Amino acid sequence: MRLRALRPPTATRANALPATAWWLWALGLAVAASRTTNPLLLGLLVGVAGHVVAARRTDAPWARSYGAFVKLGLAVIAVRVAFSVVLGSPIGGTHVLFALPEVPVPGWADGTRIGGRVFAEQIVFALYDGAKLATLLICLGAANALANPARLLKSLPGALYEAGVAVVVAMTFAPNMVADVLRLRTARRLRGRPTGGVKAVAQIGLPVLEGALERSVAVAASMDARGYGRTAQVPPAVRRTTNVLTLGGLLGVCAGSYGLLAAEGAEYGVPLLAAGLVAASGGLWLGGRRSVRTRYRPDRWGGRAWLVAGSGVAVAGLVIRAAAYGGEALHPGVVPLTAPVLPLWPALSVLIGLLPAFVAPVPVGAKESTR
């Protein structure tokens, strides 16, 4: 009976996790990916994100976007390597793979080159760098596949509700477009018509864009009809204070986030982020007084939502600490070429990100990870 009580329940409208919890989990994995270029750790992060998506995604249109982010990540790696081959790299080396015809550049472009010798070290460096960016995109793709964008609108404060409506419309456009592409390609395949080639893309493209745009505009119209974004009269002093606190706080959050993501900015990143969050929270609280609206079935943060969000925060914090104290294994060298080694404690820290696959409610039709 105790083991049965620990099993995650079947997902319903009442116990569905807030979209913010999924985004905090995914952002934690993304922060961890920004702290390393070790391909083994990056691959482990991608595996963790992919397993959670496979175990907890639904049949909704936005849940099918994860594969598109994976393909986008592979394309980023290919483009990064291609740029390194054609335009050169600041990383030199001793192992020459091949040589391209070098194009002379004018004097004002000293320090750059087009073509020339291509070293194995610069290719490996480009692969590491591209894999890092690809992992960031895949982690964000996991959040897009798991979080309901319409439910995310419920978590926005009143001061950002008008902008939130536009963001939700934009976020629902891409999933609707993906669903329309799959539906039209299936219909053409059943009719014996080709689904590839320039002609087929041209015939599918217009109906897809039209249908996705119509649905997104319908969402915006329904929100406007229900009174979203209505404002109340407030004193000018309160309005100016709200603008100063919100803008200054958001700038502080951006600067602090950059400090956390950058390798050299950890010293000032945390204080700036904390001060920005305090100022932005005060501005958003004041701005919320202008919003005249009610919430229908607001998302509730239960124990499972805190576990999901906390697992992502734990992964980010532990990997940041590992990078600050003896993080040589997190950045394998390329000159000279050395094989990357999987560090034990950072790898165990990344595995904490698997917790949502065991505690989040199980969607209908999904396989439960605890069995």
Side-chain angles (χ1 to χ4, degrees):
M1 293 295 293
R2 291 180 180 179
L3 291 177
R4 185 178 302 176
L6 293 176
R7 287 182 178 180
T10 302
T12 61
R13 189 182 184 89
N15 64 4
L17 292 184
T20 312
W22 287 118
W23 274 100
L24 289 176
W25 167 79
L27 289 175
L29 297 185
V31 170
S34 69
R35 287 294 179 174
T36 179
T37 56
N38 190 316
L40 301 179
L41 273 180
L42 294 176
L44 187 60
L45 283 167
V46 172
V48 167
H51 177 74
V52 174
V53 170
R56 290 298 181 266
R57 69 175 175 181
T58 63
D59 295 331
W62 57 81
R64 305 172 186 175
S65 61
Y66 183 73
F69 278 90
V70 173
K71 294 177 183 178
L72 180 60
L74 296 176
V76 166
I77 297 176
V79 170
R80 180 65 180 86
V81 173
F83 270 89
S84 176
V85 170
V86 176
L87 301 178
S89 173
I91 303 298
T94 57
H95 301 81
V96 180
L97 296 179
F98 55 88
L100 297 175
E102 189 168 354
V103 179
V105 296
W108 54 267
D110 289 339
T112 61
R113 67 177 177 86
I114 302 176
R117 293 183 298 175
V118 178
F119 299 95
E121 289 82 355
Q122 78 178 67
I123 296 297
V124 173
F125 177 79
L127 284 173
Y128 288 174
D129 200 29
K132 178 179 177 180
L133 181 56
T135 305
L136 287 170
L137 292 173
I138 291 173
C139 291
L140 296 181
N144 279 278
L146 294 170
N148 187 337
R151 295 178 70 92
L152 183 62
L153 188 63
K154 295 183 178 182
S155 304
L156 290 177
L160 297 179
Y161 213 72
E162 295 178 5
V165 173
V167 171
V168 169
V169 171
M171 292 178 66
T172 55
F173 179 79
N176 288 332
M177 187 170 61
V178 172
D180 283 345
V181 168
L182 296 176
R183 178 175 56 82
L184 291 176
R185 290 187 65 182
T186 302
R188 289 180 64 87
R189 191 179 298 112
L190 292 175
R191 293 184 176 95
R193 298 179 181 178
T195 58
V198 178
K199 184 178 180 181
V201 171
Q203 293 176 350
I204 293 176
L206 185 58
V208 165
L209 293 176
E210 183 180 0
L213 185 59
E214 284 181 355
R215 275 198 291 270
S216 298
V217 172
V219 171
S222 63
M223 290 178 175
D224 183 68
R226 289 171 173 82
Y228 292 121
R230 290 179 181 174
T231 58
Q233 295 294 332
V234 295
V238 175
R239 186 167 57 252
R240 286 192 291 267
T241 304
T242 300
N243 295 335
V244 171
L245 288 177
T246 304
L247 181 59
L250 292 178
L251 289 176
V253 169
C254 292
S257 302
Y258 176 79
L260 289 177
L261 294 176
E264 298 83 7
E267 298 179 356
Y268 66 86
V270 175
L272 270 179
L273 182 61
L277 287 175
V278 171
S281 300
L284 294 176
W285 178 78
L286 288 175
R289 298 170 59 184
R290 301 177 58 214
S291 177
V292 183
R293 65 182 179 90
T294 58
R295 290 191 177 187
Y296 178 67
R297 294 182 181 177
D299 287 332
R300 294 179 175 84
W301 279 71
R304 297 183 185 276
W306 285 110
L307 286 175
V308 170
S311 64
V313 174
V315 171
L318 292 174
V319 174
I320 289 175
R321 181 176 177 83
Y325 297 96
E328 293 82 7
L330 273 68
H331 301 278
V334 295
V335 181
L337 283 174
T338 56
V341 179
L342 182 65
L344 177 60
W345 290 111
L348 294 177
S349 303
V350 171
L351 292 179
I352 298 175
L354 289 172
L355 187 61
F358 298 91
V359 301
V362 183
V364 177
K367 295 181 179 179
E368 189 175 333
S369 300
T370 56
R371 291 180 180 175

